[in-house]
């Protein structure tokens, strides 16, 4: 007789219970290879269940390869647990989450983030947002994997928009829809020859970390100086429209110098154009890709103009790279979620995105001077006022004091040092897209209070 | 006087036109560093426009770094085009798409794919699908980046489901929502020590290609033999529930042997559990991860049970790897689109996913024998009938003949050789999820007609 107990009050069907317990007996070593099991009839009688229960359990375990039926002889165990294999956790007494330590617990008190990644979302735009998702709800999704370049209608709309807002004249077949800026990088990096990638210092951490994840070295590119030489770097990752996080617009001479350096090194320039639309001093500077379409890989994102969690971006690469990227994406099925693509199409067609950009720009244009007024007695502004954050140079100790004071008040503000590598720059990066005006006032009061001490 | 012409009928504002033309003059070399521009007043008079137009254009170009204003002296060009830089394509006469060759053109005639990646979608489930997206439309999306593990309610629902359907008892904090199986691989690969990755041969091309994209070597793991030794591989990618594409369920003894080999090599086993729910002979075999939670990384996907373009999957990793993956994803912002996550949550809560799995399983259980009946006079079935495709062993020439005949009839069927590396296996992989019964009949008629010749 097998040492098994069935629980008739359980939701789990009896054959599954029985199969699971016999499996455990093999794994625990109680049953070993060659052991003969009772007949299904005898086991059913022992357990007081119908024979169908034991037969189904035996069939299941035979299909899984634990048991085998020998004609006219009975059912035998085929497998013995090797000594090294850990017994299974069929019924852990504690949720395993209790073991997953090292994960930073979320603060219990809700915290507002004054970060660079939370854009303003105008509540007046909510009806248009809902309409876009209602359109998704009635559209038929592709049944299999879709075009690796993304939804054609979306690529058409993006191509038009790139020409109009960024001076980048492209056809829809040159645009590849990505799941965001770092997904664009993940598409590009495997196609570059071996070698380090230069990333601005201070710069976008997600980009540097993505480069590292491909086993490539990150070399520091000075964020606010002209670059004449890329060394052995195979690519230079830059944010020319609005340096992340110092805020500088890369001057024309520096753009040309970088392109010339890239040409000499046979490297590509990766232009992360993340928040180019949010200039409120002058019109947006045309994309650097307009200066050399054969040298620049252009990365755009909906993270700042719509919401980050849409996970959508777009990529325009020189033709040779475009084909390599597409070839691999056709095989790996990497790409953006279709519902997000379909929703962005509606948002573009309805003029929603233009309204969202204008509305956010207006709010940022009001808030940036407010932050400047509060901060300028204590710190030095790193770049022009543009976009959804401003960066203030301060000694690290003062920046930390201010950050801690903000945290006590319920606000999360990033240290500039988290963006810096060898540059060693310190200060605060104060985002103002993701909070209300009142919250921004409270946060600035906390920060300036700490700095005034 | 500057050689510029403004077009008053254009949609482009006059200051932008003027700035663009001056920019082109610098880039073409007509204007060089140190050249003095006419005053904004004189230029405006020359062009017959208001002075605001020329002032705005000068302000814009000054902000971009092309011009500089010297106090009391005028406005000067700061930058000269270096000889090596390609002039910009401000107005290409041809769409650049004409240059993007090498991309396989889509067939003009619609083709139905009998592939492994197009699941059945029951039209009776459409109302529930639409409801899920209507819920997305009224839910407030996260404003900034969300939890790098994914939506907590979704992780709770997935954890419950993994316990119920796959025998995998996990807490919600052990689940990481991904953008699909290859995204799960992209999360995992950077955290493994250097070394090759063993991938089943024949096997999932997207997995092998993703491994290669990280600069790692792919070594061949026999798909249907017991594995006793992993050599210097740091991971083994397997599909134990339903070998892709041969269809075999990995027997218990082979599972234990592979785990033992992984333990000796200090390698991880990557379990791609892509269509485990679509068994119609016996109940699904419990996930291999249940046998050794400290050695197996479990990858699940919604691509087969919902639709591939939702771009959603989930990952359960041993605690140490879990923390490394999470640490990096917190920085890179890699993750699944929030709307897809929110929709899947509704589909799980409403019982939609269970209904979809049952309905698809019923259809596959009907179609698989139909395929078997048609094919078995001509070819050898590679594994048990399970899932949404079956694989038939044939000489390559016959397989190609059948594939070509299907193509003429408007159906795309994959060759087994595209999945094979050193194994050299040949034949046809016939998917039956993405077509109607009538289409399946037509395709089988074309295939068997070609094989009978």
């Amino acid at each position: 007789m097998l040492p098994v107990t069935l629980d008739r009050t359980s939701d789990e069907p009896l054959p599954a219970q029985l199969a699971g317990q016999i499996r455990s007996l093999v794994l625990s070593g109680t049953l070993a290879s060659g052991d003969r099991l009772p007949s299904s009839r005898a086991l059913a009688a022992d357990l007081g269940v119908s024979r169908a229960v034991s037969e189904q359990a035996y069939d299941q375990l035979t299909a899984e390869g634990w048991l085998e039926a020998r004609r006219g002889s009975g059912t035998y165990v085929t497998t013995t647990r090797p000594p090294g294999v850990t017994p299974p956790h069929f019924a852990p007494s504690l949720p395993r989450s209790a073991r997953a330590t090292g994960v930073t617990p979320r603060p219990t008190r809700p915290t507002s983030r004054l970060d660079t990644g939370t854009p303003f979302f105008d509540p007046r735009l909510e009806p248009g947002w809902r309409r876009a998702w209602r359109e998704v709800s009635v559209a038929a999704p592709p049944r299999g994997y879709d075009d690796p370049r993304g939804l054609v209608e979306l690529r058409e709309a993006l191509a038009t928009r790139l020409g109009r807002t960024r001076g980048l004249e492209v056809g829809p077949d040159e645009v590849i829809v990505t799941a965001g800026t770092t997904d664009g990088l993940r598409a590009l990096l495997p196609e570059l020859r071996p070698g380090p990638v230069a990333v601005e210092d201070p710069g976008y951490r997600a980009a540097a970390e993505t480069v590292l994840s491909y086993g490539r070295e990150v070399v520091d590119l000075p964020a606010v100086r002209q670059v004449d030489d890329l060394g052995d770097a195979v690519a230079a990752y830059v944010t020319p429209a609005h340096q992340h996080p110092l805020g500088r617009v890369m001057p024309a001479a520096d753009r040309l110098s970088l392109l010339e350096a890239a040409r000499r090194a046979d490297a590509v320039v990766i232009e992360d154009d993340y928040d180019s639309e949010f200039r409120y001093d002058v019109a947006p500077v045309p994309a650097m890709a307009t200066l050399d379409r054969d040298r620049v890989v252009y990365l755009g994102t909906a993270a700042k103009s719509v919401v980050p969690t849409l996970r959508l971006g777009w990529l325009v690469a020189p033709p040779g790279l475009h084909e390599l990227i597409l070839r691999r994406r056709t095989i790996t099925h990497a790409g953006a979620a279709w519902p997000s693509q379909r929703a962005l199409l509606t948002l573009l067609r309805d003029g929603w995105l233009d309204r969202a950009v204008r509305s956010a720009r207006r709010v940022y244009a009001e808030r940036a001077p407010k932050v400047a007024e509060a901060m300028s007695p204590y710190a030095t502004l790193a770049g022009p006022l543009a976009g959804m954050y401003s960066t203030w140079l301060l000694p690290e100790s003062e920046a930390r004091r201010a950050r801690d004071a903000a945290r006590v008040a319920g606000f999360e503000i990033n240290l500039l040092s988290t963006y810096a590598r060898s540059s060693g720059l310190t200060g605060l990066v104060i985002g103002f897209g993701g909070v209300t005006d009142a919250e921004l006032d409270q946060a600035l009061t906390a920060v300036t209070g700490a700095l005034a001490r």
Side-chain angles (χ1 to χ4, degrees), chain A:
Chain A
M1 168 141 188
L2 292 177
V4 297
T5 319
L6 301 184
D7 176 4
R8 281 175 178 75
T9 67
S10 161
D11 282 346
E12 193 178 18
L14 294 177
Q17 287 186 41
L18 179 55
Q21 292 191 36
I22 296 175
R23 207 185 281 116
S24 299
L25 292 172
V26 178
L27 284 161
S28 65
T30 307
L31 288 173
S33 182
D35 284 356
R36 184 171 184 278
L37 269 74
S39 72
S40 59
R41 185 189 303 270
L43 181 60
D46 279 348
L47 297 171
V49 296
S50 82
R51 190 170 165 198
V53 170
S54 53
E55 277 179 346
Q56 279 180 44
Y58 280 12
D59 284 351
Q60 176 70 30
L61 293 170
T62 304
E64 295 179 17
W66 298 102
L67 306 181
E68 64 177 347
R70 298 187 196 154
R71 189 174 298 273
S73 162
T75 300
Y76 292 82
V77 176
T78 58
T79 303
T80 299
R81 177 176 72 86
V85 173
T86 319
H89 306 266
F90 278 116
S93 52
L94 269 178
R96 301 246 318 171
S97 53
R99 288 172 54 190
T101 55
V103 176
T104 313
R106 302 240 127 194
T108 45
R109 166 174 181 183
T111 297
S112 295
R113 284 184 274 182
L114 278 76
D115 62 12
T116 64
T118 311
F120 176 72
F121 191 98
D122 190 336
R124 287 170 303 179
L125 292 167
E126 281 170 13
W129 170 262
R130 288 198 290 270
R131 187 162 50 244
W133 292 102
R134 283 199 305 272
E135 277 202 17
V136 170
S137 76
V138 295
R143 295 282 301 281
Y145 285 102
D146 44 354
D147 190 316
R149 295 169 297 189
L151 194 61
V152 59
E153 297 88 345
L154 177 61
R155 288 187 281 114
E156 283 163 359
L158 287 171
T160 303
R161 189 178 172 81
L162 283 170
R164 177 163 60 82
T165 65
R166 308 300 300 123
L168 199 56
E169 302 288 344
V170 290
D173 290 351
E174 292 174 277
V175 176
I176 295 176
V177 180
T178 67
T181 297
T182 52
D183 184 53
L185 257 187
R186 299 202 288 186
L188 171 65
L189 288 170
E191 312 309 338
L192 302 176
R193 67 176 191 278
V197 173
V199 178
E200 290 170 329
D201 171 30
Y204 187 39
R205 284 182 74 198
E209 189 68 36
T210 302
V211 169
L212 293 172
S213 77
Y214 280 84
R216 287 178 188 267
E217 191 192 342
V218 168
V219 295
D220 295 348
L221 199 67
V224 291
R225 283 209 314 274
Q226 193 169 95
V227 173
D228 302 311
D229 184 18
L230 284 176
D232 58 350
V234 299
Y237 188 94
V238 291
T239 48
H242 189 215
Q243 204 279 326
H244 185 85
L246 296 183
R248 181 182 83 143
V249 181
M250 193 187 289
D254 291 10
R255 291 175 186 229
L256 296 173
S257 169
L258 176 60
L259 285 172
E260 176 62 19
R263 200 179 62 79
R264 281 195 311 270
D266 195 20
V268 297
V269 172
I270 307 168
E271 175 179 27
D272 174 358
D273 200 37
Y274 70 110
D275 78 344
S276 57
E277 292 176 312
F278 299 108
R279 298 292 306 231
Y280 23 86
D281 47 350
V282 291
V285 177
M288 191 164 165
T290 60
L291 296 175
D292 191 345
R293 290 288 303 281
D294 294 322
R295 186 65 56 197
V296 179
V297 177
Y298 177 90
L299 301 179
T301 180
K304 310 300 172 197
S305 48
V306 190
V307 288
T309 50
L310 202 58
R311 305 275 176 188
L312 268 190
W314 40 92
L315 174 161
V316 178
L321 276 172
H322 175 96
E323 284 154 36
L324 290 170
I325 290 169
L326 209 54
R327 187 198 64 80
R328 201 187 293 264
R329 278 169 98 83
T330 303
I331 300 173
T332 61
H333 303 312
W338 173 84
S340 292
Q341 296 188 56
R342 185 63 190 74
L344 181 60
L345 175 61
T346 302
L347 297 176
L348 283 164
R349 279 189 178 160
D350 287 358
W352 187 96
L353 194 68
D354 286 331
R355 284 197 299 280
V357 167
R358 277 198 301 274
S359 138
R361 189 158 48 202
R362 201 162 43 233
V363 168
Y364 300 154
E366 284 166 17
R367 292 181 178 177
K370 194 191 266 188
V371 176
E373 195 186 353
M375 290 298 294
S376 49
Y378 308 102
T380 306
L381 180 62
L385 289 178
M388 62 191 72
Y389 64 90
S390 57
T391 297
W392 298 87
L393 304 177
L394 279 166
E396 179 72 358
S397 59
E398 291 186 37
R400 283 181 184 271
R401 201 166 71 228
R403 190 268 314 259
D404 293 345
R407 196 173 270 172
V408 169
F411 299 99
E412 206 49 50
I413 299 180
N414 288 338
L415 294 173
L416 176 55
S417 57
T418 61
Y419 299 77
R421 297 186 304 275
S422 62
S423 68
L425 283 177
T426 58
L428 288 175
V429 182
I430 304 181
F432 40 80
V435 287
T436 63
D437 287 304
E439 286 172 326
L440 180 59
D441 287 341
Q442 287 168 37
L444 289 173
T445 302
V447 166
T448 54
L451 293 176
R453 254 181 270 137

